[in-house]
């Protein structure tokens, strides 16, 4: 990972970064956070392209992008086959088991950046109260199952379930943090 950051220091446009979703997405923000923590100043000059539908790995294997910013689950199969090497993950410490536990963190490489690819379940704004309550209770029960624990272990996911109110507060903080980075790269107009 430090070699990638050194290349970016010399020429921010020299490394073609691909992600599983569009510019401004979590994959893009994840890479920007790592680059920023590594001291890259010209974040707006970093070349990022999003490829949805699993196409980013074909882009990497075909040499059309140099590196990929994605979730562990997106690449673990190609890591197992030996076709892709993980340069760094953005967890505070190594996670998961098996080959996932062998993936080095950015932190252990001296780049003090963490990023969590969180997921949320959303409903329509006019969702009936009984439906909202049903899903809140069902999801709270789901995260207590052994199947969920096994899935989290397999992919190195944290089991940080947040209820609706806690998740809304979390989203407010995340949106503020992402807005700062997106403004720096010109994807969010300043107010």
């Amino acid at each position: 990972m430090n070699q990638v950051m050194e290349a970016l220091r010399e020429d921010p446009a020299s490394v073609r970064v691909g992600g599983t979703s569009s510019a401004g997405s979590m994959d893009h923000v994840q890479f920007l956070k790592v680059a920023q923590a590594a001291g890259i100043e010209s974040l707006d000059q970093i070349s990022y392209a999003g490829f949805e539908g699993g196409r980013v790995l074909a882009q990497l294997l075909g040499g059309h992008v140099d590196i990929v910013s994605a979730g562990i689950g997106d690449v673990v199969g190609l890591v197992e086959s030996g076709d892709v090497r993980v340069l760094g993950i953005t967890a505070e410490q190594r996670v998961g088991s098996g080959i996932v536990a062998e993936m080095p963190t950015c932190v252990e490489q001296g780049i003090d950046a963490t990023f969590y690819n969180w997921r949320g379940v959303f409903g329509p704004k006019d969702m009936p109260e009984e439906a909202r309550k049903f899903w809140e209770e069902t999801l709270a029960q789901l995260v207590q199952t052994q199947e969920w624990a096994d899935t989290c272990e397999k992919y190195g996911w944290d089991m940080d379930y947040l209820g609706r109110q806690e998740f809304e507060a979390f989203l407010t903080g995340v949106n503020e943090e992402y807005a700062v980075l997106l403004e720096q790269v010109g994807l969010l107009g300043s107010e």
Side-chain angles (χ1 to χ4, degrees), residues 83-156:
D83 293 310
V84 170
R85 179 173 57 123
V86 174
L87 302 179
I89 64 171
T90 55
E92 275 185 64
Q93 58 196 23
R94 292 190 184 208
V95 298
S97 60
I99 201 162
V100 173
E102 296 172 19
M103 298 176 180
T105 69
C106 292
V107 171
E108 72 187 63
Q109 296 176 68
I111 303 170
D112 192 17
T114 57
F115 182 88
Y116 298 95
N117 199 357
W118 55 267
R119 294 290 186 247
V121 177
F122 300 87
K125 67 180 179 178
D126 57 350
M127 179 180 251
E129 180 65 23
E130 61 273 8
R132 185 192 56 75
K133 184 177 178 186
F134 168 81
W135 283 111
E136 284 183 15
E137 291 172 0
T138 300
L139 293 169
Q141 292 170 6
L142 170 91
V143 299
Q144 301 299 319
T145 65
Q146 188 60 49
E147 292 87 353
W148 181 250
D150 293 345
T151 300
C152 289
E153 176 67 20
K154 178 179 178 181
Y155 293 109

Side-chain angles (χ1 to χ4, degrees), residues 12 51-52 64 66 73 89-91 118 128 135 148-149 158 166 178 180 185:
F51 301 94
E52 297 179 11
H64 305 289
D66 301 310
I89 64 171
T90 55
W118 55 267
W135 283 111
W148 181 250
D158 288 331
E166 297 88 0
Y178 292 3
V180 171
V185 298

